[in-house]
Amino acid sequence: MEGIVTVVILLLLNLSVIVILNEMIQTNPGLQDGIFIIKRSVFIGPAHYQLWSWENIFIALMIVFDVGVVYWRLIRRYHQMQLRHIIGELHYIANGHFDHRIPFTLKGDTQRVVTSVNSLVDSVISSIEEERRIEKSKDELITNVSHDLRTPLTSIIGYLGLVEDRQYHSEEELLKYTNTAFNKAKQMKSLVDDLFEYTKMRQTDTPLTIAHLDLTQMMAQLAASFELEANEKGMTLVTDVGDEPIHIEADAEKLGRVFNNLIGNALKYGGDGKHIYLRAKQLSDREVAVSVENDGSKIPEAALGQVFERFYRVEESRSKATGGTGLGLAIAQSIVSLHGGYIYVTSDDDLTRFVIHLPIKNGDRLKRPDVKN
Ligand code: ADP
């Protein structure tokens, strides 16, 4: 429609220009002579064609001009329509159809707009999903914490209530009640401490106190500090670190916490085995691997992928009176990741191995290969 209107307007315009020019030439003899001289002196091509009448030339020029104007108008209108289409699609997406993307492919800049809009929608959707995931995980955290705090708290209130109502028959019984309440209170404290540590370590900007430390020496110290406890359980700690020192830049206290947790777990959950191995090895000029291994009963295949999740405890460990919070490995994983490394677990009938890879230089980050857990 717009094309037709444009053509009509242009034709009228052409006609009026021709009429005005014609009028000017007819009433001006000087102009007529000038045109005549030009026509006689200009030849076109090898056959020496003379110029046509000025009207023909003018009409030819007008046609070229008109076609140009119509083409330009139509292209502009076409772009406007594309834009209107894109805006329509945007409204559709904004009305909640977040899985919809602008489906058509266009040319040039407009296609760039479409691609940018589609990737913008993609990133908005993924941040909304991430937000939802975080929100859900916070809710789960609160549910888990309240559940884990309520159980010991109920016992504490129960036992202290008995003491308050003087429902004990001997001093020994009184001591038993207060002792149970005390132990439950300690259990609550360790949960709150772990929780505090967990939330602190989850923040990616948690500062590390970096120092040069020798892993060989660290393993020897850890082995010495757990030796007594291991012997009491009939287990032997074996260090396999080589003779050379293995220097890395790391936060000694936080890494210590990781190894303490892993060795503590090996003692707690690997009690039916006989050995705990502490191994450290330099893999390259930028990477070391440290592992804590034990030959106790294996972690079930189905649980392997979840042991690093907060509050996760393998079913068997729940029923045993090991008194864990299920946060130890989640904290260990966060600390290792703050150091730019990664941790994974493997478990079979022979060994359960917790393996940590760390960069030698502070600030370096290791890429985790595709390991299962
Ligand atoms: P917690 O020890 O407080 O329960 P962790 O996060 O340290 O929490 O461990 C999670 C679970 O992983 C434990 O409950 C236990 O079931 C399992 N686990 C950890 N280490 C070992 C191990 N060396 N052998 C067998 N099971 C283990």
Side-chain angles (χ1 to χ4, degrees), residues 233-257:
K233 296 198 165 193
M235 296 174 88
T236 317
L237 268 160
V238 184
T239 43
D240 171 16
V241 289
D243 302 324
E244 296 293 311
I246 304 173
H247 291 289
I248 65 163
E249 293 173 359
D251 185 323
E253 196 200 314
K254 293 197 172 65
L255 272 195
R257 171 161 189 150

Side-chain angles (χ1 to χ4, degrees), residues 194 261-262 265-270 294 296-299 307-309 311-318 322-331 347 352 354:
D194 274 2
N261 177 263
L262 295 181
N265 277 354
L267 286 166
K268 263 198 291 186
Y269 305 113
N294 67 281
S297 52
K298 73 170 193 176
I299 302 178
V307 288
F308 294 105
E309 282 174 18
F311 294 114
Y312 182 80
R313 307 194 68 210
V314 179
E315 210 44 54
E316 280 168 49
S317 334
R318 283 176 197 274
T322 44
T325 59
L327 282 170
L329 288 177
I331 295 171
S347 190
T352 292
F354 283 89

Side-chain angles (χ1 to χ4, degrees), residues 186-253:
K186 281 202 291 194
Q187 193 181 327
M188 276 176 69
K189 179 165 185 320
S190 98
L191 173 63
V192 173
D193 285 348
D194 274 2
L195 199 63
F196 181 68
E197 190 76 10
Y198 171 74
T199 43
K200 212 165 71 179
M201 292 309 146
R202 288 286 291 175
Q203 283 153 22
T204 44
D205 55 354
T206 302
L208 296 176
T209 314
I210 298 296
H212 287 272
L213 63 99
D214 175 8
L215 282 176
T216 313
Q217 212 182 344
M218 194 175 187
M219 291 297 129
Q221 281 167 2
L222 282 164
S225 66
F226 278 99
E227 198 170 353
L228 195 69
E229 198 180 333
N231 290 345
E232 277 171 6
K233 296 198 165 193
M235 296 174 88
T236 317
L237 268 160
V238 184
T239 43
D240 171 16
V241 289
D243 302 324
E244 296 293 311
I246 304 173
H247 291 289
I248 65 163
E249 293 173 359
D251 185 323
E253 196 200 314

Side-chain angles (χ1 to χ4, degrees), residues 156-168 174 177:
I156 294 172
I157 293 171
Y159 283 107
L160 291 184
L162 290 177
V163 176
E164 167 105 334
D165 298 343
R166 299 190 178 275
Q167 287 190 30
Y168 52 87
L174 168 71
Y177 291 166

Side-chain angles (χ1 to χ4, degrees), residues 136-154:
K136 189 165 163 252
S137 114
K138 272 188 190 156
D139 288 348
E140 280 170 9
L141 183 72
I142 293 171
T143 315
N144 280 325
V145 173
S146 8
H147 174 266
D148 284 17
L149 284 178
R150 201 170 49 190
T151 319
L153 200 57
T154 313

